[in-house]
Coordinates of all heavy atoms in Angstrom, one line a residue:
R20 N 0.9 -1.2 0.1 CA 0.0 0.0 0.0 C 0.9 1.3 0.0 O 1.8 1.4 0.8 CB -0.9 0.0 1.2 CG -2.0 1.0 1.1 CD -3.1 0.8 2.2 NE -2.8 1.4 3.5 CZ -3.0 2.7 3.7 NH1 -3.5 3.5 2.8 NH2 -2.7 3.2 4.8
F21 N 0.7 2.1 -1.0 CA 1.5 3.3 -1.1 C 0.8 4.4 -0.3 O -0.2 4.8 -0.7 CB 1.7 3.7 -2.6 CG 2.4 2.6 -3.4 CD1 1.7 1.8 -4.2 CD2 3.7 2.4 -3.3 CE1 2.3 0.8 -5.0 CE2 4.4 1.4 -4.0 CZ 3.7 0.6 -4.8
V22 N 1.4 4.7 0.8 CA 0.7 5.6 1.8 C 0.9 7.1 1.5 O 0.0 7.9 1.7 CB 1.2 5.2 3.2 CG1 0.6 6.1 4.3 CG2 1.0 3.8 3.5
S23 N 2.2 7.4 1.1 CA 2.5 8.9 0.9 C 3.5 8.9 -0.2 O 4.3 8.0 -0.3 CB 3.2 9.4 2.2 OG 2.3 9.6 3.3
P24 N 3.6 10.1 -0.8 CA 4.5 10.3 -1.9 C 6.0 10.3 -1.4 O 6.1 10.8 -0.3 CB 4.1 11.5 -2.6 CG 3.3 12.3 -1.6 CD 2.7 11.3 -0.7
V25 N 6.9 10.0 -2.3 CA 8.4 10.0 -2.0 C 8.8 11.1 -3.0 O 8.7 10.9 -4.2 CB 9.1 8.7 -2.1 CG1 10.5 8.9 -1.9 CG2 8.6 7.8 -1.1
R26 N 9.4 12.1 -2.5 CA 9.9 13.3 -3.3 C 11.4 13.1 -3.4 O 12.2 12.5 -2.7 CB 9.7 14.6 -2.7 CG 8.1 14.7 -2.5 CD 7.7 16.2 -2.0 NE 6.3 16.2 -1.8 CZ 5.4 16.4 -2.8 NH1 5.9 16.5 -4.1 NH2 4.1 16.5 -2.6
F27 N 12.0 13.7 -4.5 CA 13.4 13.7 -4.8 C 14.0 14.4 -3.5 O 13.6 15.3 -3.1 CB 13.7 14.5 -6.0 CG 13.1 14.0 -7.3 CD1 12.2 13.0 -7.4 CD2 13.4 14.7 -8.4 CE1 11.7 12.5 -8.5 CE2 12.9 14.2 -9.7 CZ 12.0 13.2 -9.7
G28 N 15.0 13.7 -3.0 CA 15.7 14.2 -1.8 C 15.3 13.6 -0.5 O 15.9 13.7 0.5
D29 N 14.1 12.9 -0.6 CA 13.7 12.1 0.6 C 14.6 10.9 0.8 O 15.1 10.3 0.0 CB 12.3 11.6 0.5 CG 11.2 12.6 0.6 OD1 11.5 13.8 1.0 OD2 10.0 12.2 0.4
T30 N 14.8 10.7 2.1 CA 15.7 9.6 2.6 C 14.9 8.5 3.2 O 14.1 8.8 4.2 CB 16.8 10.1 3.5 OG1 17.6 11.0 2.8 CG2 17.7 9.0 4.0
I31 N 14.9 7.3 2.7 CA 14.0 6.2 3.2 C 14.9 5.1 3.8 O 16.0 4.9 3.5 CB 13.1 5.7 2.1 CG1 14.0 5.1 1.0 CG2 12.2 6.7 1.5 CD1 13.2 4.2 -0.1
H32 N 14.2 4.4 4.7 CA 14.7 3.2 5.3 C 13.5 2.3 5.4 O 12.4 2.7 5.3 CB 15.5 3.4 6.6 CG 14.6 3.6 7.8 ND1 14.2 4.8 8.1 CD2 14.1 2.7 8.7 CE1 13.4 4.7 9.2 NE2 13.4 3.5 9.6
T33 N 13.9 0.9 5.6 CA 12.8 -0.1 5.6 C 12.9 -0.8 6.9 O 13.9 -1.1 7.4 CB 13.0 -1.1 4.4 OG1 12.9 -0.3 3.2 CG2 11.9 -2.1 4.4
E34 N 11.7 -1.1 7.5 CA 11.6 -2.0 8.7 C 10.8 -3.2 8.4 O 9.7 -3.1 7.8 CB 11.0 -1.2 9.9 CG 11.8 0.1 10.3 CD 11.1 0.8 11.4 OE1 10.0 0.5 11.7 OE2 11.8 1.8 11.8
L35 N 11.4 -4.4 8.8 CA 10.6 -5.6 8.6 C 10.4 -6.2 10.0 O 11.3 -6.4 10.8 CB 11.5 -6.6 7.7 CG 11.8 -6.2 6.4 CD1 13.2 -5.6 6.3 CD2 11.6 -7.3 5.4
T36 N 9.1 -6.6 10.2 CA 8.9 -7.2 11.4 C 8.3 -8.6 11.2 O 7.3 -8.7 10.4 CB 7.8 -6.4 12.2 OG1 8.2 -5.0 12.4 CG2 7.4 -7.0 13.6
V37 N 8.8 -9.5 11.9 CA 8.3 -11.0 11.7 C 7.0 -11.1 12.5 O 6.9 -10.8 13.7 CB 9.4 -12.0 12.4 CG1 8.8 -13.4 12.2 CG2 10.7 -11.8 11.8
T38 N 5.9 -11.4 11.7 CA 4.6 -11.4 12.3 C 4.0 -12.8 12.3 O 3.1 -13.0 13.2 CB 3.6 -10.5 11.3 OG1 3.6 -11.1 10.1 CG2 4.1 -9.0 11.4
E39 N 4.5 -13.8 11.6 CA 3.9 -15.1 11.6 C 4.9 -16.1 11.1 O 5.8 -15.7 10.1 CB 2.6 -15.1 10.7 CG 1.9 -16.4 10.8 CD 0.6 -16.4 9.9 OE1 0.2 -15.3 9.5 OE2 0.0 -17.4 9.8
K40 N 4.9 -17.3 11.5 CA 5.7 -18.3 11.0 C 4.8 -19.6 10.9 O 4.1 -19.9 11.9 CB 6.9 -18.7 12.0 CG 8.0 -17.5 12.0 CD 9.0 -17.8 13.1 CE 9.7 -19.1 12.8 NZ 10.9 -19.3 13.8
K41 N 5.0 -20.3 9.8 CA 4.2 -21.5 9.5 C 5.1 -22.6 9.2 O 5.9 -22.5 8.3 CB 3.1 -21.3 8.4 CG 2.0 -20.2 8.9 CD 1.0 -20.0 7.8 CE 1.6 -18.9 6.9 NZ 0.7 -18.4 5.9
E42 N 4.8 -23.8 9.8 CA 5.6 -24.9 9.3 C 5.1 -25.4 7.9 O 3.9 -25.0 7.6 CB 5.3 -26.1 10.3 CG 5.5 -25.8 11.7 CD 6.9 -26.2 12.2 OE1 7.5 -27.1 11.5 OE2 7.4 -25.6 13.1
S43 N 6.0 -25.9 7.2 CA 5.6 -26.5 5.8 C 5.4 -27.9 5.9 O 5.8 -28.6 6.8 CB 6.8 -26.2 4.9 OG 6.6 -26.8 3.6
K44 N 4.7 -28.5 4.9 CA 4.6 -30.0 4.8 C 5.9 -30.6 4.7 O 6.1 -31.8 5.0 CB 3.7 -30.3 3.7 CG 2.2 -29.9 3.9 CD 1.4 -30.2 2.7 CE -0.1 -29.7 2.9 NZ -0.9 -29.9 1.8
K45 N 6.9 -29.9 4.1 CA 8.2 -30.4 3.8 C 9.0 -29.9 5.0 O 9.2 -28.8 5.3 CB 8.7 -30.0 2.5 CG 8.0 -30.5 1.4 CD 8.5 -30.0 0.0 CE 7.7 -30.6 -1.2 NZ 8.3 -30.3 -2.5
P46 N 9.8 -30.9 5.7 CA 10.5 -30.5 6.9 C 11.7 -29.6 6.6 O 12.3 -29.1 7.6 CB 10.9 -31.9 7.4 CG 11.0 -32.8 6.2 CD 9.8 -32.3 5.3
D47 N 12.1 -29.5 5.4 CA 13.3 -28.7 5.1 C 13.0 -27.1 4.9 O 13.9 -26.5 4.5 CB 14.1 -29.2 4.0 CG 13.4 -29.2 2.6 OD1 12.1 -29.1 2.7 OD2 14.0 -29.3 1.6
R48 N 11.8 -26.7 5.1 CA 11.4 -25.3 4.8 C 10.3 -24.9 5.7 O 9.6 -25.7 6.3 CB 11.0 -25.2 3.4 CG 9.9 -26.0 2.9 CD 9.7 -26.1 1.4 NE 10.8 -27.0 0.9 CZ 11.0 -27.2 -0.3 NH1 10.2 -26.7 -1.3 NH2 12.0 -28.0 -0.7
G49 N 10.0 -23.6 5.8 CA 9.0 -22.9 6.5 C 8.6 -21.6 5.9 O 9.4 -21.1 5.0
I50 N 7.5 -21.1 6.3 CA 7.0 -19.8 5.7 C 7.0 -18.8 6.8 O 6.5 -19.0 7.9 CB 5.5 -20.0 5.2 CG1 5.4 -21.2 4.3 CG2 5.1 -18.7 4.5 CD1 6.2 -21.1 3.0
A51 N 7.6 -17.6 6.5 CA 7.6 -16.5 7.4 C 6.9 -15.3 6.8 O 7.2 -15.0 5.7 CB 9.0 -16.1 7.9
N52 N 6.1 -14.6 7.6 CA 5.5 -13.4 7.1 C 6.2 -12.2 7.8 O 6.4 -12.3 9.0 CB 4.0 -13.3 7.5 CG 3.2 -14.5 6.8 OD1 3.7 -15.5 6.4 ND2 1.9 -14.2 6.7
F53 N 6.3 -11.1 7.1 CA 7.0 -9.9 7.5 C 6.1 -8.8 7.2 O 5.7 -8.5 6.1 CB 8.3 -9.7 6.8 CG 9.3 -10.8 7.1 CD1 9.4 -11.9 6.3 CD2 10.3 -10.6 8.1 CE1 10.3 -12.9 6.6 CE2 11.3 -11.6 8.3 CZ 11.3 -12.8 7.6
A54 N 5.8 -8.0 8.3 CA 5.2 -6.7 8.0 C 6.3 -5.7 7.6 O 7.3 -5.7 8.2 CB 4.5 -6.1 9.3
V55 N 6.0 -5.0 6.5 CA 7.0 -4.1 5.9 C 6.6 -2.7 6.0 O 5.5 -2.4 5.6 CB 7.4 -4.5 4.4 CG1 8.4 -3.6 3.8 CG2 7.8 -5.9 4.4
A56 N 7.5 -1.8 6.5 CA 7.1 -0.4 6.5 C 8.4 0.3 5.9 O 9.5 0.1 6.3 CB 6.9 0.1 8.0
V57 N 8.1 1.2 5.0 CA 9.1 2.0 4.4 C 8.9 3.4 5.0 O 7.7 3.9 4.8 CB 9.1 2.1 2.9 CG1 10.3 3.0 2.4 CG2 9.3 0.6 2.3
L58 N 9.9 4.0 5.7 CA 9.7 5.3 6.3 C 10.6 6.3 5.7 O 11.8 6.0 5.3 CB 9.9 5.2 7.8 CG 8.9 4.2 8.4 CD1 9.6 2.8 8.7 CD2 8.4 4.8 9.7
N59 N 10.2 7.6 5.7 CA 11.0 8.7 5.2 C 11.8 9.3 6.4 O 11.8 8.8 7.5 CB 10.2 9.8 4.5 CG 9.3 10.5 5.3 OD1 9.3 10.5 6.6 ND2 8.2 11.2 4.8
Q60 N 12.6 10.3 6.0 CA 13.4 11.0 7.0 C 12.7 11.5 8.3 O 13.3 11.7 9.3 CB 14.4 12.0 6.4 CG 13.6 13.2 5.9 CD 12.9 13.1 4.5 OE1 13.0 12.0 3.9 NE2 12.3 14.1 4.0
N61 N 11.5 11.7 8.1 CA 10.6 12.2 9.3 C 9.9 11.1 10.0 O 9.1 11.4 10.9 CB 9.6 13.2 8.8 CG 10.2 14.4 8.0 OD1 11.2 15.0 8.5 ND2 9.7 14.7 6.9
G62 N 10.2 9.9 9.8 CA 9.6 8.7 10.4 C 8.2 8.5 9.9 O 7.5 7.7 10.5

């Protein structure tokens, strides 16, 4: 979801939060969900 415009000169960083983990039917793998937030220089 694109929340706000990013202008030339804005400085961004990304935050990933682990929100869910699910076992897979195959024992050698699993599924992880990450909430993603991209924030500008003003937070």
Side-chain angles (χ1 to χ4, degrees):
R20 193 166 87 81
F21 300 101
V22 179
S23 294
V25 174
R26 300 185 181 282
F27 299 6
D29 280 355
T30 300
I31 61 167
H32 74 276
T33 303
E34 296 178 355
L35 297 99
T36 305
V37 183
T38 58
E39 186 177 353
K40 291 174 60 175
K41 294 179 269 189
E42 304 270 335
S43 172
K44 291 177 185 175
K45 297 185 178 182
D47 63 340
R48 62 194 72 183
I50 310 295
N52 294 27
F53 296 85
V55 178
V57 180
L58 298 101
N59 66 16
Q60 65 277 3
N61 301 317

